[in-house]
Amino acid sequence: NAGVMQNPRHLVRRRGQEARLRCSPMKGHSHVYWYRQLPEEGLKFMVYLQKENIIDESGMPKERFSAEFPKEGPSILRIQQVVRGDSAAYFCASSLLAGVYNEQFFGPGTRLTVL
Amino acid sequence: RKEVEQDPGPFNVPEGATVAFNCTYSNSASQSFFWYRQDCRKEPKLLMSVYSSGNEDGRFTAQLNRASQYISLLIRDSKLSDSATYLCVVNNYGGSQGNLIFGKGTKLSVKP
């Protein structure tokens, strides 16, 4: 039973380019979460999605960032016109259940470097 | 006050030692609590959920004190492989409840 898959594992972009990060949840999980971890910082929640729906995007920057989880295929976190401050590790997690007691399992992350 | 606060460490202990980590959280309405471990440049891995009555999993014991808004993790008989950063995690009550709030972590280094 494969865990949460993320690709690419490492992504290098120049300022102003677009970054697309992909996440495939664990088999049977329909709840997906994206978190960002800046160097020497804790993980910060960005967005929570179910299939075709954004449930909570309270942690997402208002501009340049978007996320989707289509009916078919992986969840995508998209960052337009990247800036140096976007350099971070982006982790995706999935859970079987929703609500307060859900246990979230994390993928290996995508390390984004903006030059 | 930070939402989830942990002693950053590092804790440097010899193999076989018992070590305890503490964590406090600010939102008294939080309902679920977890300990994750994170190895350097890796993803967080769920270590254990923390239940009101306290729970134990092998060498690991977690305790919750709702009145004091305090969570602890005890590791007995430390192994070299326990070296990692331990993350205290609390659910974000009041939001979608789908998102978790992470502490910055406590770094543990177990030496031979």
Side-chain angles (χ1 to χ4, degrees):
Chain A
N1 188 12
V4 178
M5 311 281 281
Q6 286 188 253
N7 68 79
R9 296 289 300 276
H10 299 275
L11 183 61
V12 179
R13 286 287 178 266
R14 296 191 181 280
R15 279 179 296 170
Q17 291 184 318
E18 178 179 289
R20 277 186 186 239
L21 288 60
R22 294 175 200 77
C23 169
S24 297
M26 283 179 72
K27 189 175 180 181
H29 288 193
S30 60
H31 304 271
V32 166
Y33 316 83
W34 286 93
Y35 294 82
R36 176 165 65 175
Q37 187 172 32
L38 294 168
E40 306 302 320
E41 293 290 320
L43 275 80
K44 301 290 184 194
F45 167 78
M46 299 181 76
V47 62
Y48 164 28
L49 310 103
Q50 280 183 270
K51 283 285 187 183
E52 299 185 276
N53 289 306
I54 296 175
I55 307 301
D56 180 355
E57 55 182 349
S58 59
M60 194 91 103
K62 294 285 183 274
E63 296 177 353
R64 302 189 297 109
F65 285 73
S66 62
E68 62 176 6
F69 189 13
K71 188 176 179 181
E72 302 291 336
S75 175
I76 307 282
L77 178 68
R78 184 180 175 208
I79 312 172
Q80 294 178 289
Q81 299 173 341
V82 296
V83 301
R84 289 230 172 97
D86 296 332
S87 295
Y90 291 82
F91 290 101
C92 168
S94 73
S95 68
L96 179 64
L97 303 173
V100 297
Y101 299 111
N102 72 87
E103 292 181 343
Q104 296 183 19
F105 298 91
F106 284 78
T110 294
R111 296 193 178 275
L112 173 66
T113 302
V114 180
L115 301 177
Chain B
R1 184 180 173 185
K2 289 181 185 173
E3 291 181 287
V4 179
E5 204 147 1
Q6 296 183 250
D7 181 340
F11 284 53
N12 298 308
V13 303
E15 268 186 293
T18 295
V19 60
F21 303 136
N22 303 319
C23 167
T24 56
Y25 59 96
S26 61
N27 188 341
S28 60
S30 295
Q31 295 180 2
S32 55
F33 311 90
F34 309 92
W35 284 101
Y36 281 75
R37 68 169 278 168
Q38 186 174 28
D39 293 279
C40 188
R41 299 185 67 78
K42 300 282 190 181
E43 74 272 26
K45 290 187 176 171
L46 180 63
L47 186 62
M48 53 200 307
S49 301
V50 186
Y51 304 117
S52 295
S53 54
N55 46 303
E56 188 174 309
D57 183 2
R59 298 181 294 109
F60 299 84
T61 301
Q63 295 281 347
L64 169 64
N65 183 324
R66 286 187 185 270
S68 303
Q69 293 174 218
Y70 170 95
I71 309 161
S72 66
L73 177 69
L74 184 77
I75 305 176
R76 289 180 297 278
D77 188 22
S78 300
K79 310 289 184 194
L80 296 176
S81 58
D82 294 334
S83 297
T85 297
Y86 288 82
L87 309 176
C88 178
V89 184
V90 174
N91 83 295
N92 184 20
Y93 185 82
S96 64
Q97 303 178 354
N99 71 71
L100 301 176
I101 302 173
F102 283 77
K104 280 191 173 183
T106 299
K107 189 169 182 180
L108 172 66
S109 183
V110 181
K111 307 288 187 186

